Each structure stands twice: as C-alpha cells, then as structure tokens.
Amino acid sequence: MSLLVTGTIGIDTIETPGGRAENVMGGSAAHFAFAAALVHPVRLVGVVGGDFPAEFQRHFHGRPIDTAGLEVRAASKTFSWHGRYHENMNHRDSLRTDLNVIAEAPPRIPDAFRDSQFVFLANTHPAIQRGFVEQLTGPSLVVCDTMDLWITSAREDLLAMLKQVHGIVLNDGEARMLSCHDDIFLAARTVLEMGPAFVVVKKGEFGSMLMMRDELVVLPAFPTQAVRDPTGAGDSFAGGMMACLAAENRLDMPTLKRALAYGACVASITIEDFSLDAIRRADAAEVQRRIERYREMLRI
Amino acid sequence: MSLLVTGTIGIDTIETPGGRAENVMGGSAAHFAFAAALVHPVRLVGVVGGDFPAEFQRHFHGRPIDTAGLEVRAASKTFSWHGRYHENMNHRDSLRTDLNVIAEAPPRIPDAFRDSQFVFLANTHPAIQRGFVEQLTGPSLVVCDTMDLWITSAREDLLAMLKQVHGIVLNDGEARMLSCHDDIFLAARTVLEMGPAFVVVKKGEFGSMLMMRDELVVLPAFPTQAVRDPTGAGDSFAGGMMACLAAENRLDMPTLKRALAYGACVASITIEDFSLDAIRRADAAEVQRRIERYREMLRI
C-alpha cells in the first residue's frame, strides 16, 4: 500500500565524540524516506530552499522515493541544524537551528499523493501536522512524531492533533514530558488516552515499547556498538516500522511486532555513520540479514 | 548443579506511590533465594539478629532453600532498611539503613556448602564478597552484584573482587558510575575489562543487556504494569538467571539467553506485590507460563 511521509529536509552540521560532519543532508522526512525505501516505496512531502544542493537531490535518485512532493522555493533557505552529541549519545545540544523555509507556509500534499494509505507525520509544528491530515482523502493509518519544543510551546495544537492520528512514536523523555508522568507505563497509558490507538515509546539502545488498549510489548534494540551518529535514529525507526506495515497492509499484533523489528534493524544501520551515509550504502539484503540476526537473538 | 547465594537478609519498610509495607522480609539474598527456588534448589548464606521474626524463618520452609548457612546471632539486630519510591519506581530514597549485624564479622560458608558450583555474591562490601570466594573449593561460575555505595567508597576492593568473578549483574546507572563512562556500551565494555567474562546491565522496565568479549545481546523485560514494589527486582532477576544456569549446567549463549529470560520473568513476579509476597504465592508453573508468554512476545 502507498506510504507517505511529511517532515523536514535539512542541512545538518553534526559533532559527535568520534567526529564531525559539516553541511550534510538531514531532516526527519529525509531520514524516514531513506530508511523506509529499503523496505517499501515511499512518497516524500517537504520543502527546501534554493540553496538545497543538487548533490542532495541526486541522493534520492535510483531509490523508490517519489519526490513529487519535494517543493523547492528558490528565494528561501533550507532548514538547517547544528547539533553536538555528548559521550552518551542519547544527549545532545542544539547549537543552532535555522528554521528558514520551515517557518514559511508548509508544502502542500500533491493531488497524486492524497490517497496515501499509510502516513507518517514526522516532527514539525502540530498545527502543520493537522493541516497535512486534512489533505488526505482517507488514510488507513496515520502515525506522528513530536518533540519537547511542541510539547511545551504548542500543547493545545498537539492534543488536537493526537485526536486525529492512529499512532504516535516518541522517546521515553518525550512520553514523560507529554503525559506529566515519570512512570513510563503510566506515561504511555496517559498518551494513549489522548487519542491514538497505539503508542510506541523508544528507549535508545535498550529498545522500544508498544502499548495499545489491551496489549503491551517490549522489544529490544538491534545491538550495534559501532554508533557514529545517532541523528535520525527515531525517524529511521519510524521509517522501517511504517514501511513494514505498508508492505504487509495489516495491523494485527504479529505484523506490528515485525514492524518494530524492522524499525530496530533499519535504525541500527542509520546510526553506524554520519547523516544518511550508512543507510545510503545499505540495501534490502542488509536489512534482511539484520532481521534474521534479530530473530535469532530473540530465540529463547 | 549446586547453587549458593550470599547476601543480606533484612527487615524492610517500604513506601511506594501505591502503598506501604512495614517490617517485612527483605534483603538481597532473601529476594534471590525465593526467586531462584522457583527454578532450582538454592543454598542460602546470611546472618540475622535475635530479632529476626520466627514467622520470617517459617517462610523458608517447604521450599528448596537450604538455610544451613543462615546464622542467627541472638545478641545482634537484623539488618534493616526503610525506602521510599518515587512515581517512577526506578528512583528511590533510602530514608534509613541500619546495618546492625551486617556491620559485624560476616557469616561463614558452612563446610557442606563450600563445593557449590554456581555462586551469586549479592550486594555487600566487596571485601566481604572476596572473603566468600576464598571459602569456595572450586566453583564453576561466580557472579556478583554491587551498588553505588561500594563503587564510591570501596573502589579498590571492588576492582580486586571483579578479578575473582566470572560475571557481574548491575543496573545501567551503576555501570556508568563504575566505568566512569556515560555511553552504556562503553560502560559495559569497560566493566568487562575489569575482569569478568560477562556483564549483565539491567535497565528496569526496558530489559537487560549481556556483553561478553565477542557477544552482545539485548533482551526486553517481561512487561507488567501491575508494579507495586520494585524492591528486590534486581536480586530476583539474578536469582532466576543463576537458577536457570545451575539447572542446565551450561554457559553457552543459548543457555545464557534463556537464563536472562528466566531472570526477566521471575523479576516480573517479584515486583507485582510488596516484599516477597508475590514470589511466595507463585509456583514453578507460573514461571513457565511467563516464559511461554515471553517467548511468544519475542517471536517476530
């Protein structure tokens, strides 16, 4: 089934304890799209400025990423972010965030994309996420991400948006902040009561938790010690997860678990190099190899 | 094979957001022994005072817990602890810790126990843990626990002790503190370089990580939302894990993974009620039911 992602496409500068990458491609929708495309074709909706490098445009070519929804505004500048990670790469400082074109009117979903069945609203202002949902003709599954900035600065918009989605993917800190509960189960249950049918809480190198009304599953991360840059881990996870769901076109528990496994395996590739370098080098066979190793690890 | 645990047996007062239990049985070796005994017979070495209630003594009866190593010093008082948990029950304050008999000479391992093959040194001063190791005639596997107190106050003793054990089980905060590394993989690897052949790092409701020289496995917790009192979760985990290893008498990776699964399932029982109440009500069949549900959860 058709899979759509909306979100940011940007130019990142990233510092980690192990190195630095300057002016590389980043953004939530970019990370999602490259990860998902290893599993299932994906439609991309986003906006960049006239300064978006032609080289970055070419990175999309030859992959099942439909860029008909990638708008280029010649007079604007591309979203840009500079982050520095601590030794524990779950922690980072944003040294600079230039919204640029992201602060203008959001891109529109092309007519040809409005029938998309599986939709991921990567991180942006929740009012914009709602605007995207309203452009869809009847999606089967809409899942969103969010972040601390919107939880504190746009809470009402976020709560309204959560009534329009089927699922949310967020990390444990965000779940605690959004729910105002420190206990992670209570936090996830409180988010569930805000609207979505399922909540996925990610816990970095330890894994993820899927909570539904009557179901609770915890699955580990795919272990990798070769972490060079965790930027985009969450969006890659969502990309692998949503691509699996779109490919299988089912939402039963076995499929959801498999989707979490794809998320874990694809995200483990992303973080093994800066920016999109590792995920661009990877292929579907590498994802399958990791899925098999993951299955083997979980065979008790 | 024979399984031995050394550690504290105490009288706890516990406050959680959901309730309070006053003067109940606790202590690391008690939690380990009741958990392990659901899977495999266990030998207990510990010391209590004359105030140790006869009722607590009776709790051991009718279970495969050999209390020949439980020394009662009539003139002394039993170790006692009063803790209060936050809403996020990974966090707690120790309101009162009365070492009492624990501050005296440690108990000796009875002659009949010295040939024990699988040994768990539950949390106590590392010099005392070393003393226990020296009383053993030739164990197959010695695993220890530790805590922040010894990491900061008895570091040299702890490092010496780590050269005498095969494995260590600790939580992620302890691993970070002991290794002086914030990154959890780097933390575990650094602990590994201190001596043990394997390190198990626990991360509460998210699960555990097993690191060896050339192996890395992450397994989730057994999900339970009915947490009433997390006291003893780590010792129960170790109890389930060591009991499985002793029962199977193997140390290959499939057995180690199964041991982590037993740890996860047994710990999930412990935390569902105060003190030892839930683990005392449970039976081997309940452990097996959870193992099956855990296996099913991990079937991708």
Side-chain angles (χ1 to χ4, degrees), chain A residues 182-183 257 295-296 300, chain B residues 87 182 257 295-296 300:
Chain A
D182 203 24
D183 177 83
K257 286 197 301 182
R295 277 205 178 102
E296 179 55 34
I300 302 296
Chain B
E87 188 209 272
D182 202 24
K257 287 198 299 183
R295 278 205 176 102
E296 179 55 36
I300 301 297

Side-chain angles (χ1 to χ4, degrees), chain A residues 212-232:
Chain A
M212 304 172 77
R213 300 272 174 273
D214 306 306
E215 300 265 14
L216 177 64
V217 163
V218 189
L219 287 178
F222 180 94
T224 176
Q225 296 182 68
V227 182
R228 293 197 71 197
D229 172 17
T231 310

Side-chain angles (χ1 to χ4, degrees), chain B residues 50-72:
Chain B
D51 59 343
F52 192 67
E55 179 202 346
F56 290 2
Q57 287 267 18
R58 282 193 296 273
H59 291 340
F60 291 108
H61 299 171
R63 295 170 191 274
I65 301 175
D66 188 335
T67 56
L70 177 59
E71 190 185 333
V72 182

Side-chain angles (χ1 to χ4, degrees), chain B residues 113 182 289 292:
Chain B
F113 284 4
D182 202 24
R289 276 192 293 274
E292 281 313 310

